[in-house]
Amino acid sequence: MSNNNTSSGHLVVTVGAGPAGIYSARKLAEAGHEVVIINRDIKPGGLVEYGIYFNKHKLKEGVRKQFRNILADPRVHYFGHIKIGQQADLTLDELREILNPAATIIAAGAQGTKGLGLPGDTAPGVYHAKDVVYHYNGLPPFSEREFLIGQRVAIIGIGNVMVDVAHWLVHVKKVKEVIAVARRGPAQRAYTDVEIQAVSANIETSALQAELERVRARVEAVDGNLEAIYQDLTKHINIKAKEGESPTSMLFRYLCAPSEIILGENGMPRALRVENTELVKRGEDLSAKGLGTFDEIDVDTVIFAIGDRVDETLGLPCGGTEYVKNPNPDPDHPGNEAYQVFDPAEGKICSGVFVIGWSRKASDGLVGKAKQDGERGVVVVNNYLAKVEPGSAERAAEKIEALRQTLQSRNVRFVDYSDIQKLENIERVESEKRGVEFFKYFTDAEMLAAIEEITK
Ligand SMILES: Cc1cc2nc3c(=O)[nH]c(=O)nc-3n(C[C@H](O)[C@H](O)[C@H](O)COP(=O)(O)OP(=O)(O)OC[C@H]3O[C@@H](n4cnc5c(N)ncnc54)[C@H](O)[C@@H]3O)c2cc1C
């Protein structure tokens, strides 16, 4: 709870209640600002709630506790179950018109998906990792969608998200094979030693040895000793996963770039066509260069785990996978430009609009990094607000009431923080009744019904 009793008179609106949005709200409230947080999901938390693997109870609950403190601050006004953007509940312009905020912060994460544009990649049985992660973590509507998962699942990418998805495939779906496919080599793995332990007991050592033998010449040309790489890749294989044993084989294919998803007669994946690659130096980095020779890997499901992009329909100018930031150094506060949204069509800064967290840099780092980025963003916002004429706490309250009325007149079923507290209480009681560590509802209808039941 903020210790500052003096109101700054400023109203700040933040879109998104993930770690970047919530941790930054604490700093904004401490500076005396009224903070309105608009969140697409009923529950706050973003990827803490719906991204981090569901058995990491301690980690999730630790962060939730901090979020609860921040969201209970009287200066922080939570509005959940409201999507901002084109064809959403409110456009960003409408939101800003109603609230007329002194500053607008976009902390909506990276909700778009990145694809490779391969033939066959829109077929059933081909998915983006984020959608799968949202599905198994219970985020509506993904939680209610059917995902057609076969027995041989290729995951494109070898980062921590690949490991999380593999974790689910190995220990929940218990598929026959998970094949992690990498354009680059084994030494360029992006997953960490801690994360891989969830599936390391399922790594097929003989298959791994054969795969390393297949790429030996290409790996040793740039990365040295293959035996040392093998030792590194297998150092956790004796660690048993918390969930016990699973029949799944965890396999790897290195130095091959997916080029096509070959579909069978049923219109679903039959094989993944890949081009063999070699590693070439590009500046400091090693990148994959196609060799013009191709292989087919038998698969019936393909999941892309190659990072995300921001949502282009939110209402901010986009370039590549990110929103456009000020390309010119801020003369007064060098570094601040990285948080300022820029309109290339107008050739100027979108005054008073800022990006933080994964909305600023898609798929960048863990919760700690999103927190740090949100807090750094607040410094930038406060530098800006120092030059803005303040309003008053009373005026801010009127604007918040105007937002409530507009939403009601449009029949938008939004929730506030007291609703979230009710929901969490009911879920706590349910988890005790069921004797499980944690219980949560997987549909909006159930969450809203639970809130309404207790409100009666
Ligand atoms: C699969 C996976 C596993 C991970 N595991 C870990 C882990 O174990 N440990 C760890 O520390 N980190 C982990 N991370 C990383 C961590 O979750 C992120 O660093 C962090 O959540 C990013 O925070 P954010 O606030 O920028 O975005 P997000 O967490 O994505 O939050 C964005 C929020 O914006 C809201 N929103 C989106 N669009 C709109 C809209 N149009 N209108 C209104 N609201 C909107 C969403 O509802 C959401 O609440 C993981 C990430 C992934 C993808």
Side-chain angles (χ1 to χ4, degrees):
M1 203 143 308
S2 68
N3 302 317
N4 182 359
N5 290 324
T6 317
S7 168
S8 69
H10 288 307
L11 172 72
V12 176
V13 64
T14 298
V15 178
I22 300 180
Y23 283 119
S24 64
R26 173 163 66 194
K27 293 287 173 197
L28 292 165
E30 280 171 5
H33 312 319
E34 297 295 325
V35 194
V36 173
I37 305 189
I38 310 283
N39 195 42
R40 177 197 62 195
D41 311 327
I42 290 180
K43 284 191 172 182
L47 288 168
V48 168
E49 198 57 59
Y50 296 115
I52 294 179
Y53 200 77
F54 51 83
N55 74 350
K56 293 187 179 173
H57 293 298
K58 242 176 136 179
L59 167 66
K60 281 177 180 261
E61 198 48 32
V63 182
R64 278 192 203 111
K65 263 189 197 145
Q66 299 179 24
F67 287 173
R68 285 182 195 122
N69 271 333
I70 298 168
L71 292 167
D73 189 306
R75 285 225 172 94
V76 177
H77 310 270
Y78 180 76
F79 286 76
H81 204 212
I82 302 168
K83 188 172 176 198
I84 302 300
Q86 295 155 13
Q87 269 131 38
D89 297 309
L90 282 178
T91 65
L92 188 58
D93 286 345
E94 286 171 331
L95 176 69
R96 298 186 72 212
E97 224 162 84
I98 299 163
L99 288 177
N100 189 21
T104 303
I105 300 178
I106 305 300
Q111 304 301 329
T113 47
K114 243 184 183 170
L116 297 175
L118 305 183
D121 72 359
T122 54
V126 182
Y127 304 107
H128 290 279
K130 180 156 49 61
D131 298 357
V132 176
V133 167
Y134 278 165
H135 170 72
Y136 66 61
N137 268 309
L139 175 67
F142 300 91
S143 48
E144 295 162 90
R145 230 170 253 172
E146 190 185 11
F147 283 74
L148 303 167
I149 305 290
Q151 284 302 317
R152 288 195 166 79
V153 185
I155 311 178
I156 317 297
I158 47 169
N160 282 336
V161 174
M162 175 283 285
V163 176
D164 270 11
V165 174
H167 190 169
W168 179 67
L169 293 168
V170 168
H171 291 290
V172 178
K173 303 303 281 183
K174 298 190 191 294
V175 302
K176 199 158 182 285
E177 287 178 0
V178 174
I179 309 144
V181 178
R183 272 187 312 165
R184 299 194 294 164
Q188 285 74 45
R189 69 176 169 91
Y191 59 76
T192 57
D193 280 352
V194 174
E195 298 301 329
I196 195 67
Q197 294 176 25
V199 294
S200 50
N202 293 71
I203 295 176
E204 290 286 340
T205 50
S206 55
L208 180 62
Q209 272 164 346
E211 174 59 8
L212 290 179
E213 218 39 69
R214 189 184 72 85
V215 293
R216 178 183 282 277
R218 283 178 277 156
V219 172
E220 290 192 333
V222 288
D223 280 323
N225 190 317
L226 200 67
E227 277 63 41
I229 293 176
Y230 176 78
Q231 292 307 324
D232 174 60
L233 296 176
T234 53
K235 64 185 171 210
H236 299 298
I237 53 168
N238 293 325
I239 293 183
K240 301 273 170 274
K242 277 187 199 164
E243 296 94 332
E245 290 185 8
S246 151
T248 307
S249 297
M250 182 74 215
L251 307 170
F252 293 85
R253 283 293 289 248
Y254 300 110
L255 292 169
C256 49
S259 63
E260 181 183 352
I261 296 159
I262 302 169
L263 306 179
E265 278 175 8
N266 61 359
M268 295 188 53
R270 175 178 68 69
L272 180 69
R273 190 161 194 260
V274 292
E275 181 178 8
N276 291 304
T277 64
E278 65 178 352
L279 289 169
V280 289
K281 269 227 172 253
R282 220 164 261 159
E284 289 295 291
D285 288 335
L286 285 170
S287 67
K289 181 169 159 256
L291 291 172
T293 59
F294 293 82
D295 282 331
E296 280 183 19
I297 306 170
D298 287 345
V299 298
D300 50 22
T301 313
V302 177
I303 299 173
F304 287 94
I306 53 172
D308 301 311
R309 59 192 302 139
V310 295
D311 175 6
E312 295 183 357
T313 67
L314 190 88
L316 295 185
C318 270
T321 57
E322 295 182 2
Y323 297 123
V324 185
K325 272 93 65 185
N326 183 7
N328 309 308
D330 183 313
D332 301 326
H333 305 282
N336 280 12
E337 64 278 357
Y339 294 80
Q340 299 160 347
V341 178
F342 188 82
D343 185 350
E346 297 276 327
K348 59 176 192 189
I349 290 174
C350 301
S351 185
V353 185
F354 304 88
V355 278
I356 57 173
W358 281 24
S359 278
R360 194 177 77 78
K361 206 154 185 249
S363 306
D364 186 34
L366 300 177
V367 169
K369 192 153 191 193
K371 172 178 187 267
Q372 205 179 36
D373 202 62
E375 293 178 350
R376 170 78 181 92
V378 174
V379 174
V380 178
V381 170
N382 282 336
N383 288 152
Y384 168 81
L385 290 177
K387 296 181 192 156
V388 175
E389 191 66 32
S392 67
E394 292 72 30
R395 184 72 194 106
E398 283 166 21
K399 291 177 189 173
I400 295 168
E401 186 49 35
L403 174 64
R404 237 177 239 123
Q405 282 177 12
T406 307
L407 292 167
Q408 274 158 359
S409 70
R410 292 189 182 194
N411 291 324
V412 178
R413 174 66 177 95
F414 62 95
V415 299
D416 63 19
Y417 191 57
S418 72
D419 293 324
I420 299 303
Q421 289 170 318
K422 288 172 198 159
L423 179 59
E424 286 195 336
N425 278 336
I426 295 175
E427 289 184 337
R428 206 168 295 127
V429 171
E430 273 302 316
S431 68
E432 276 160 24
K433 257 199 233 162
R434 292 166 194 240
V436 291
E437 203 160 353
F438 188 77
F439 167 83
K440 72 178 173 198
Y441 292 109
F442 269 39
T443 68
D444 282 346
E446 286 169 301
M447 283 188 255
L448 294 173
I451 292 167
E452 272 154 29
E453 184 59 31
I454 212 162
T455 310
K456 271 184 199 163

